Amino acid sequence: MKKLINTIESFVDEACEGLALAHSDLVQFHREPRYLARATAPKGRKVGLVSGGGSGHEPLHGGFVGSGMLDAACPGEVFTSPVPDQMEAAGRAVSNGGGVLFIVKNYTGDVMNFDLAAELLRADGIDVRTVLVADDVAVQNSTWTAGRRGVGNTVFVEKLAGAVAERGASADEVERVAKKTSEAGRSMGMALTSCTVPAKGSPTFELGELEIEIGVGIHGEPGRERTALVSADEIVDRLARPVMEDLGLKRGDQVIVMTNGMGSTPLIELYVAHRHVAQLLSGSGVTIVRSLVGNYITSLDMDGCSLTVLRADDELLGLWDAPVHTPALRWGA
Amino acid sequence: MKKLINTIESFVDEACEGLALAHSDLVQFHREPRYLARATAPKGRKVGLVSGGGSGHEPLHGGFVGSGMLDAACPGEVFTSPVPDQMEAAGRAVSNGGGVLFIVKNYTGDVMNFDLAAELLRADGIDVRTVLVADDVAVQNSTWTAGRRGVGNTVFVEKLAGAVAERGASADEVERVAKKTSEAGRSMGMALTSCTVPAKGSPTFELGELEIEIGVGIHGEPGRERTALVSADEIVDRLARPVMEDLGLKRGDQVIVMTNGMGSTPLIELYVAHRHVAQLLSGSGVTIVRSLVGNYITSLDMDGCSLTVLRADDELLGLWDAPVHTPALRWGA
């Protein structure tokens, strides 16, 4: 296992320290229980947005803490749900009377632990809402989920709910936008290679020299099929068509698109993939109004890509364009 | 060779198309000769900034085209200098009477081809200046250079010269800032793995299972030493100390730092590395005023990292904070 790592035990804490050192104007690291929160609390009464999940998906979630997006993120160990203490402490820290929204990717451990934290906070009179992200069209149920896995659309939910929360919207309104976004996005990913979890030290799964996995999960969970290595365009076809179909995209729809790297994919290759994503959507009469190409939700050192498409009406597009200032996403600020 | 690629011949063009499709508000792709230029020409008389070099280092340079940074970028084939036609056409396109500045990484082919293009443009009465970036402290001469290689500091030169050019400064002034920045930055990189150039299809060099290369170049050129895999902190020590020493950093200096991924390095590992970069600099009484952590100048699918440190006085820091809006670097806009 070749990694930039000191010890397996200190890996996540040290990464959090590095993030907070690089962006001390934006993010503070709280060690015990572990969470990342804004360095400067937002002014006024505001719904507090908290997300979290296993580490290894950076910049998700810690890289999205900052104005216009999350108030706090709870990093678990690598590919392991954070414990309820973390979300409870983070929820308490960001609660200032406006309520708290938990943004939860649909994995059994995450769902259960966020639920427990929500109960603890509610017992103290804090209004906690939860939005579930379950956008991966590859499989109906998976290794660690009942129902669809939550993947790339999490980035969109965090951005759009974050934007409306930053404007001082009520908990009802922030919850509505988060759920609307969650329902409007679909994703699918693929792997050219496995990833290696440090604590295990060997690849999570095996792929042959010229074999790829279509529909892989962000922890290396099995996808739809293993197939021979094909061209970038053909790979994109196999991701985009199920996504577009599941979303029921029609001519004239407008979408925000993310062509995402799994962690070890060079940007030059992501641009090659994005080219065909754009061709396919345009060819179907769909208008791409905004694009992200890069590493936004990753799987450690997995090589591969995923596609997320969000049907964006004018409300969602307006929220997308609202200012954001986080380590990994920034504009208008 | 497992890559998101259609054909070797179309690889760079398709990546340029993808970039321009993802950021059509910022960047236009000109196919023949190949260059990327701003989608909207800047208003008024402005020094035109042009850079370029072999592809495979994305987001450098095309990802830095936009307001407050480059006017055009000339992508060569993978790890191959662009030809003079490209820089000539780009220079002509961005010239509007204020002069043109070429930002050139110190590789023999790049230097020669930019020089030829400069001569052609000068013959037409265009005032062309050149700034050379040669910041890699690892080796004095290298496979493809006389003198030091140009690496990470290119990002800083493009940003700071871009900022002063955007303010409408004269060619003399833009050249002065570019040269000042070029002299104030130093870098060093390392590889955990080789990279694979598509046209070759096999790794550029071989590293053992538990072997790393300290001081590697961005094309996989040999560095200072091959050594056993050591901890992230020890790797950072071996990069940071030569950089700090060569720069002659003293207590009280302020610096801008980039902890850069080589293309296949997960962000979580870069944050672990950055943590120790910050510790070392702070421990020496040096103040990090701004940080970049991520993939800014890469080597295809090489796994590893590099460190760039720029001594930044108030002038350079002010230019760093000036608005920039490019595919890969954006703030204040």
Side-chain angles (χ1 to χ4, degrees), chain A residues 2-6 17-19 23 58 192 208-209 211 231-233 264 268-269 271 275 330-333, chain B residues 2-6 17-19 58 192 208-209 211 231-233 264 268-269 271 275 330-333:
Chain A
K2 273 180 156 178
K3 289 182 188 290
L4 297 169
I5 188 171
N6 290 306
E17 285 175 34
L19 175 73
H23 303 283
E58 292 67 25
L192 290 164
E209 251 322 293
E211 197 182 28
S231 71
D233 284 359
S264 278
I268 188 170
E269 296 180 37
Y271 277 121
R275 166 184 168 274
R330 180 174 181 183
W331 53 76
Chain B
K2 271 179 156 178
K3 289 183 188 290
L4 297 169
I5 188 171
N6 290 306
E17 285 176 34
L19 174 74
E58 293 66 25
L192 290 163
E209 252 321 293
E211 197 182 28
S231 71
D233 284 0
S264 277
I268 189 170
E269 296 180 37
Y271 277 121
R275 166 185 167 274
R330 180 175 182 183
W331 52 75

Side-chain angles (χ1 to χ4, degrees), chain B residues 81-96:
Chain B
S81 173
V83 295
D85 278 6
Q86 296 175 253
M87 289 80 102
E88 188 200 352
R92 213 176 286 281
V94 307
S95 160
N96 66 0

Side-chain angles (χ1 to χ4, degrees), chain A residues 77-90:
Chain A
E77 286 301 301
V78 171
F79 291 0
T80 303
S81 173
V83 295
D85 278 6
Q86 295 174 254
M87 290 79 103
E88 188 201 352

Side-chain angles (χ1 to χ4, degrees), chain A residues 86-161:
Chain A
Q86 295 174 254
M87 290 79 103
E88 188 201 352
R92 213 176 287 282
V94 306
S95 160
N96 66 359
V100 169
L101 179 72
F102 283 167
I103 299 172
V104 184
K105 301 195 301 301
N106 187 34
Y107 297 96
T108 308
D110 289 353
V111 171
M112 192 173 67
N113 291 339
F114 270 103
D115 273 354
L116 278 166
E119 278 177 36
L120 293 167
L121 291 170
R122 283 187 199 116
D124 279 356
I126 297 175
D127 175 10
V128 183
R129 320 286 178 95
T130 293
V131 62
L132 207 62
V133 186
D135 56 315
D136 188 337
V137 305
V139 292
Q140 253 321 315
N141 297 291
S142 175
T143 319
W144 294 318
T145 62
R148 286 180 167 174
R149 301 176 297 220
V151 289
N153 197 32
T154 315
V155 178
F156 292 155
V157 173
E158 293 179 0
K159 171 66 181 85
L160 302 184

Side-chain angles (χ1 to χ4, degrees), chain B residues 11 28 35 43 72 95 130 169 223 243 256 264 290 304 307 313 319:
Chain B
F11 188 49
Q28 267 189 339
Y35 64 92
K43 292 190 185 77
S95 160
T130 292
V243 164
I256 301 174
S264 277
R290 299 291 181 273
L307 170 66
D313 60 13
L319 291 169

Side-chain angles (χ1 to χ4, degrees), chain A:
Chain A
M1 177 181 69
K2 273 180 156 178
K3 289 182 188 290
L4 297 169
I5 188 171
N6 290 306
T7 72
I8 290 165
E9 295 69 28
S10 64
F11 187 51
V12 174
D13 276 339
E14 289 181 358
C16 291
E17 285 175 34
L19 175 73
L21 283 164
H23 303 283
S24 55
D25 54 328
L26 297 176
V27 178
Q28 267 188 338
F29 175 42
H30 297 255
R31 187 176 302 265
E32 193 57 57
R34 179 165 62 208
Y35 65 91
L36 296 152
R38 294 196 198 183
T40 313
K43 293 191 184 78
R45 193 175 146 117
K46 175 189 168 299
V47 177
L49 259 63
V50 178
S51 191
S55 293
H57 307 300
E58 292 67 25
L60 191 84
H61 301 271
F64 300 129
V65 171
S67 70
M69 221 160 158
L70 296 178
D71 292 279
C74 303
E77 286 301 301
V78 171
F79 291 0
T80 303
S81 173
V83 295
D85 278 6
Q86 295 174 254
M87 290 79 103
E88 188 201 352
R92 213 176 287 282
V94 306
S95 160
N96 66 359
V100 169
L101 179 72
F102 283 167
I103 299 172
V104 184
K105 301 195 301 301
N106 187 34
Y107 297 96
T108 308
D110 289 353
V111 171
M112 192 173 67
N113 291 339
F114 270 103
D115 273 354
L116 278 166
E119 278 177 36
L120 293 167
L121 291 170
R122 283 187 199 116
D124 279 356
I126 297 175
D127 175 10
V128 183
R129 320 286 178 95
T130 293
V131 62
L132 207 62
V133 186
D135 56 315
D136 188 337
V137 305
V139 292
Q140 253 321 315
N141 297 291
S142 175
T143 319
W144 294 318
T145 62
R148 286 180 167 174
R149 301 176 297 220
V151 289
N153 197 32
T154 315
V155 178
F156 292 155
V157 173
E158 293 179 0
K159 171 66 181 85
L160 302 184
V164 72
E166 204 72 34
R167 291 178 184 172
S170 68
D172 282 349
E173 182 66 358
V174 175
E175 184 182 9
R176 181 189 64 77
V177 166
K179 290 195 164 154
K180 176 177 170 178
T181 307
S182 178
E183 283 158 18
R186 298 289 188 284
S187 300
M188 192 156 143
M190 62 78 54
L192 290 164
T193 71
S194 177
C195 52
T196 296
V197 176
K200 180 160 180 267
S202 60
T204 301
F205 60 98
E206 293 295 337
L207 276 180
E209 251 322 293
L210 293 173
E211 197 182 28
I212 61 176
E213 173 118 13
I214 301 284
V216 74
I218 57 170
H219 312 93
E221 307 97 301
R224 286 191 170 189
E225 54 165 338
R226 290 197 177 187
T227 174
L229 177 62
V230 291
S231 71
D233 284 359
E234 203 166 323
I235 287 170
V236 167
D237 280 338
R238 294 191 197 182
L239 301 181
R241 295 196 185 282
V243 164
M244 292 166 66
E245 191 171 312
D246 203 278
L247 202 49
L249 278 185
K250 293 184 302 291
R251 299 191 80 80
D253 281 347
Q254 63 179 18
V255 296
I256 301 175
V257 167
M258 178 168 72
T259 301
N260 172 66
M262 288 300 206
S264 278
T265 316
L267 188 54
I268 188 170
E269 296 180 37
L270 292 179
Y271 277 121
V272 170
H274 182 76
R275 166 184 168 274
H276 196 54
V277 168
Q279 288 173 338
L280 281 179
L281 287 163
S282 310
S284 303
V286 173
T287 305
I288 302 178
V289 287
R290 300 290 181 273
S291 307
L292 280 182
V293 183
N295 295 316
Y296 295 97
I297 170 171
T298 61
S299 304
L300 293 170
D301 55 349
M302 186 185 287
D303 190 354
C305 68
S306 68
L307 170 66
T308 299
V309 179
L310 178 78
R311 184 190 278 112
D313 61 13
D314 290 344
E315 180 189 32
L316 297 188
L317 180 57
L319 291 168
W320 181 255
D321 287 339
V324 61
H325 188 177
T326 70
L329 219 55
R330 180 174 181 183
W331 53 76

Side-chain angles (χ1 to χ4, degrees), chain B:
Chain B
M1 176 181 69
K2 271 179 156 178
K3 289 183 188 290
L4 297 169
I5 188 171
N6 290 306
T7 72
I8 290 164
E9 294 70 29
S10 63
F11 188 49
V12 173
D13 276 339
E14 289 181 359
C16 291
E17 285 176 34
L19 174 74
L21 283 164
H23 304 281
S24 56
D25 53 329
L26 296 176
V27 178
Q28 267 189 339
F29 175 43
H30 297 256
R31 188 175 302 266
E32 195 56 59
R34 181 164 61 207
Y35 64 92
L36 296 152
R38 295 196 197 183
T40 313
K43 292 190 185 77
R45 193 174 144 119
K46 175 189 167 298
V47 177
L49 260 64
V50 178
S51 191
S55 292
H57 308 300
E58 293 66 25
L60 190 86
H61 301 270
F64 299 130
V65 172
S67 69
M69 220 160 159
L70 295 178
D71 292 279
C74 303
E77 285 303 300
V78 171
F79 290 1
T80 303
S81 173
V83 295
D85 278 6
Q86 296 175 253
M87 289 80 102
E88 188 200 352
R92 213 176 286 281
V94 307
S95 160
N96 66 0
V100 169
L101 180 73
F102 283 168
I103 298 173
V104 184
K105 302 197 298 303
N106 188 34
Y107 298 96
T108 309
D110 289 353
V111 171
M112 191 173 67
N113 291 338
F114 270 103
D115 273 354
L116 277 167
E119 277 176 37
L120 292 166
L121 292 170
R122 283 186 199 117
D124 279 356
I126 298 175
D127 176 9
V128 183
R129 320 287 178 96
T130 292
V131 61
L132 208 63
V133 186
D135 56 313
D136 189 336
V137 305
V139 291
Q140 255 318 319
N141 298 292
S142 176
T143 317
W144 294 318
T145 62
R148 286 180 167 174
R149 300 174 298 219
V151 288
N153 197 31
T154 315
V155 179
F156 292 156
V157 173
E158 292 178 1
K159 171 66 180 85
L160 302 184
V164 72
E166 205 71 35
R167 291 179 183 170
S170 68
D172 282 349
E173 181 67 358
V174 175
E175 185 182 9
R176 181 188 66 77
V177 166
K179 290 195 165 154
K180 176 177 170 178
T181 308
S182 178
E183 283 157 18
R186 298 289 189 283
S187 299
M188 192 154 142
M190 62 80 54
L192 290 163
T193 71
S194 177
C195 52
T196 296
V197 176
K200 180 159 180 269
S202 60
T204 301
F205 59 99
E206 293 296 337
L207 276 178
E209 252 321 293
L210 294 172
E211 197 182 28
I212 61 176
E213 173 118 13
I214 301 284
V216 74
I218 57 170
H219 312 94
E221 307 97 301
R224 285 191 171 192
E225 52 166 341
R226 290 198 175 185
T227 174
L229 178 62
V230 290
S231 71
D233 284 0
E234 202 166 323
I235 287 170
V236 167
D237 280 338
R238 295 192 197 181
L239 301 182
R241 296 196 186 281
V243 164
M244 292 166 68
E245 191 172 313
D246 202 278
L247 202 48
L249 278 185
K250 293 183 302 292
R251 299 191 80 79
D253 281 347
Q254 64 179 19
V255 296
I256 301 174
V257 167
M258 177 168 73
T259 301
N260 171 66
M262 288 299 205
S264 277
T265 317
L267 188 54
I268 189 170
E269 296 180 37
L270 292 180
Y271 277 121
V272 170
H274 182 77
R275 166 185 167 274
H276 196 54
V277 169
Q279 288 173 337
L280 281 180
L281 286 164
S282 310
S284 304
V286 172
T287 305
I288 302 178
V289 287
R290 299 291 181 273
S291 306
L292 280 182
V293 183
N295 295 316
Y296 295 97
I297 169 170
T298 60
S299 305
L300 294 168
D301 55 349
M302 187 185 286
D303 190 354
C305 68
S306 68
L307 170 66
T308 300
V309 179
L310 179 77
R311 183 190 278 115
D313 60 13
D314 291 345
E315 180 189 33
L316 297 188
L317 179 57
L319 291 169
W320 181 256
D321 287 339
V324 60
H325 188 178
T326 69
L329 219 55
R330 180 175 182 183
W331 52 75

